[in-house]
Amino acid sequence: MAQRGRATGRQAGRTPARAAAPAPARTSPAELAARRARLQAVIDPVVAGTGYDLEELSVKQVGRRHLVRVIIDGDGGVGLDAIAEVSRAVSRALDEAEESGTDLIMGEYQLEVSSPGVDRPLTLPRHWARNAGRLVKVKAGDKTLTGRVLAADADGITLDVDGKEHALGYDALGPGHVQVEFKRMNEISDEELAEFDDDSSDDEELDDDELDDEGEER
């Protein structure tokens, strides 16, 4: 399997061997949203307890299973060891919650933990701070600026645009987007670069025959 945070951090949930059953009815968007809220109540404190931030949590039905995607980040970045550690901690917490009677996910599920890629929009102060030194493009008022992030704090950022510094408050900024600089490729991890590859499987709904017994894609 390709060495990407999303793939290597993947952990399977309940996948007992059993006879094939008819495909279940599709879960409604409202029910998925409710399940996401219940999952977040369990997962958020677990991720925080490992020293990372829960950046995104999504749930969708994939054939007979549900796919639970967890994206984490931290001030020092997120490596493969951290992804594996958080995967194990989250998996334990979900098992314990369900053993206590909490209704989280109906049927089998697949847990997938990953780090955000460089194409993740910068929307929060911590996103900007973690990308200090990188070249970004951002809409500021009626202008679109491309410059290097010199600093970021709770109030805003300092952006170097063609040698001129601009102090910009977050209320004046749209989402920022990191620009890949080929001369600085060695500063970007393999996991981040992989996020730029098209991954058609992210948006396709796989039926149960396309997943093996461990919840991994064949």
Side-chain angles (χ1 to χ4, degrees):
M1 179 169 292
Q3 189 173 1
R4 298 176 62 176
R6 170 162 53 240
T8 55
R10 189 172 293 166
Q11 300 252 334
R14 304 174 302 265
T15 54
R18 57 187 175 86
R26 303 302 299 174
T27 306
S28 70
E31 178 60 18
L32 285 175
R35 291 190 181 281
R36 179 187 178 280
R38 293 195 289 270
L39 284 165
Q40 183 160 356
V42 174
I43 294 173
D44 203 352
V46 173
V47 174
T50 62
Y52 296 96
D53 297 312
L54 177 62
E55 293 290 349
E56 185 179 330
L57 171 63
S58 65
V59 186
K60 77 172 184 177
Q61 191 168 353
V62 183
R64 295 183 177 87
R65 298 179 176 91
H66 284 83
L67 176 61
V68 179
R69 279 182 172 149
V70 175
I71 296 180
I72 61 173
D73 202 2
D75 289 340
V78 181
L80 299 181
D81 288 343
I83 287 173
E85 174 191 356
V86 174
S87 295
R88 289 191 294 268
V90 170
S91 183
R92 285 195 301 269
L94 294 179
D95 288 344
E96 291 169 1
E98 293 202 325
E99 287 170 3
S100 70
T102 303
D103 179 22
L104 294 176
I105 292 291
M106 184 178 295
E108 300 172 5
Y109 67 86
Q110 177 181 335
L111 174 63
E112 187 176 289
V113 176
S114 67
S115 59
V118 290
D119 57 344
R120 183 268 311 271
L122 311 182
T123 58
L124 299 174
R126 66 172 181 258
H127 298 164
W128 289 96
R130 289 167 182 168
N131 283 278
R134 286 185 169 173
L135 191 69
V136 302
K137 180 183 286 187
V138 63
K139 190 171 180 61
D142 58 355
K143 297 181 178 180
T144 298
L145 303 176
T146 299
R148 197 168 305 283
V149 181
L150 298 180
D153 57 25
D155 299 317
I157 68 171
T158 302
L159 197 66
D160 181 338
V161 181
D162 296 328
K164 183 177 181 180
E165 294 186 10
H166 297 259
L168 303 165
Y170 294 117
D171 56 353
L173 296 176
H177 297 274
V178 174
Q179 305 299 291
V180 174
E181 302 175 82
F182 291 101
K183 64 182 179 180
R184 303 182 68 181
M185 290 293 258
N186 61 323
E187 299 179 11
I188 301 176
S189 69
D190 290 341
E191 291 98 338
E192 290 176 320
L193 287 174
E195 295 296 334
F196 280 96
D197 295 334
D198 289 333
D199 191 349
S200 58
S201 64
D202 287 353
D203 300 319
E204 293 177 355
E205 291 190 348
L206 306 176
D207 63 33
D208 199 47
D209 292 337
E210 293 175 285
L211 297 170
D212 65 20
D213 289 339
E214 295 301 322
E216 299 281 351
E217 292 178 23
R218 288 178 177 173

